[in-house]
Amino acid sequence: MEVKLHTARTLVGRLRGAAAVRDASATAAAVAELRRASKDDPEVRAPLADAGAVPYLAAQLTSPSTSASAEDAAAALLNISISAREQLMSSPGILDALAAAMRADEYAAAHHAAATVASLLCVDAYRPIVGAKRPLLAALVALLRGHGRGTRATKDALKALFGVALYPLNRATLVELGAVRALFALVMTDGRTGIVEDATAVVAQVAGCAESLAAFAGVSGVRILVDLVEAGGAATGRARENAAAALLNLVMSGGERAVEAVLAVGGAEEAVRELAEDGESSPRGKAKAGSLLRALEQGAAVAKRRTEHRFADFLDGLVQSDPYFSSPASATTHDDDDGSRLTFR
């Protein structure tokens, strides 16, 4: 470890010296060397963080630099985050720097930055901290809309958003930032299987807040999810099960209104029942579908009773307001002109 510490101090010292004299070429070379070292030797990552590499690497993401230098800096931060998340997270301004990298035009730096955020979110305690950074969340959502970003950036953004959404209080913020529309756009238009699976997984998490129901309604989200739950509606079993989980979370967070929204889609209950009884589904998928089915059945029963009560109230109103109507218990008869007897019931 003494050798690792010496190596780390040497590498960081070169970067510090180059940055101090504002030598762009030497700075870029030092950053590239740090990237190689953090990739090739996992044991040097924590010593690099301890030696002070993080602030200098983060500075490459926020200050004018070559695209190669920004890419190398973001990649080095990703490597360090795998072994030294605490040191990375405790560095002032690190989340702002990662957000800046995701907003920049440099594709490689953006996807490395998103992957670094996803790595940090493996720690439960960091999820509310990251969730409080609206510009960072907005940058992640924007990556989903970037048609020119490619698969890596999109997948890394989805992984990070999934980690963000695991903390319940972050979900409403994601809804406010337009994540629902961006996610369903991927589900409907992206033909890459892995992207659709990851997008539906994030949708399932975001669905678990009261604000999601209105957002889903704005993009026909409930109908899309029901279509995915139907046999053959999704390209993979995982996407189908994620859709069922999303509907379940929506019902749990949205209550009666959400149940009504699901039942309003023709064939929803039958599609969920088929998934619950599908022998090829995973135990998780069947359990989610079973819970959703029970909620829908209970909701349908409540709606039926409410309809019956309303109809009974309607008849009672007729009886009270119209003298020509009476209840069966008070039915009366009288003779018509031809002697027949009429009964009003």
Side-chain angles (χ1 to χ4, degrees):
M1 286 305 299
E2 285 298 324
V3 173
K4 307 294 183 185
L5 289 171
H6 177 73
T7 299
R9 293 190 187 108
T10 301
L11 292 174
V12 175
R14 290 174 186 167
L15 177 55
R16 183 186 297 113
V21 297
R22 298 183 179 181
D23 186 331
S25 177
T27 298
V31 170
E33 198 170 3
L34 277 170
R35 177 183 183 178
R36 285 192 296 272
S38 62
K39 176 184 177 182
D40 297 338
D41 187 358
E43 293 184 355
V44 83
R45 294 168 183 166
L48 284 172
D50 292 335
V54 174
Y56 291 101
L57 293 171
Q60 297 302 305
L61 305 181
T62 57
S63 61
S65 59
T66 64
S67 60
S69 180
E71 176 187 349
D72 287 339
L77 288 170
L78 172 59
N79 294 335
I80 291 172
S81 74
I82 298 171
S83 304
R85 293 188 178 96
E86 184 176 356
Q87 294 96 314
L88 196 68
M89 199 59 185
S90 62
S91 179
I94 184 61
L95 296 180
D96 295 332
L98 293 172
M102 287 187 283
R103 289 193 299 267
D105 293 331
E106 173 53 43
Y107 162 73
H111 88 71
H112 287 316
T116 303
V117 175
S119 175
L120 292 173
L121 288 166
C122 291
V123 180
D124 294 356
Y126 296 160
R127 290 169 187 164
I129 300 173
V130 173
K133 292 286 187 178
R134 288 179 67 96
L136 186 147
L137 300 188
L140 287 171
V141 173
L143 282 179
L144 302 186
R145 303 192 188 102
H147 298 295
R149 289 296 192 180
T151 301
R152 287 287 298 275
T154 303
K155 286 186 71 69
D156 289 333
L158 287 170
K159 290 177 182 177
L161 287 169
F162 182 81
V164 170
L166 285 176
Y167 184 66
L169 297 182
N170 290 339
R171 296 167 187 167
T173 304
L174 292 178
V175 172
E176 293 171 11
L177 292 173
V180 170
R181 183 172 294 277
L183 289 166
F184 275 105
L186 285 177
V187 172
M188 293 300 295
T189 64
D190 200 299
R192 295 167 290 185
T193 299
I195 295 293
V196 175
E197 288 182 342
D198 290 348
T200 51
V202 181
V203 168
Q205 293 300 319
V206 175
C209 70
E211 295 80 0
S212 63
L213 182 58
F216 278 42
V219 295
S220 300
V222 174
R223 179 172 292 279
I224 292 170
L225 292 173
V226 171
D227 288 344
L228 291 174
V229 172
E230 289 181 352
T236 66
R238 182 184 168 211
R240 185 187 185 193
E241 293 174 4
N242 287 344
L247 289 172
L248 176 59
N249 289 342
L250 190 69
V251 165
M252 293 176 65
S253 62
E256 185 177 333
R257 289 178 55 237
V259 172
E260 291 175 353
V262 177
L263 290 173
V265 179
E269 195 170 346
E270 183 58 31
V272 175
R273 181 176 289 105
E274 288 180 3
L275 176 57
E277 297 173 353
D278 190 341
E280 296 183 0
S281 298
S282 69
R284 170 188 174 273
K286 286 198 258 189
K288 295 286 186 183
S291 297
L292 176 58
L293 181 61
R294 287 191 292 274
L296 295 180
E297 290 174 340
Q298 292 172 5
V302 170
K304 181 180 179 181
R305 288 195 297 270
R306 185 182 298 110
T307 301
E308 291 173 347
H309 287 318
R310 288 174 179 170
F311 186 64
D313 292 342
F314 170 73
L315 291 179
D316 288 342
L318 285 179
V319 170
Q320 294 172 12
S321 63
D322 193 331
Y324 290 98
F325 282 83
S326 65
S327 64
S330 60
T332 60
T333 61
H334 66 85
D335 290 328
D336 201 355
D337 293 339
D338 61 0
S340 63
R341 299 174 66 81
L342 300 177
T343 302
F344 297 91
R345 298 184 183 274

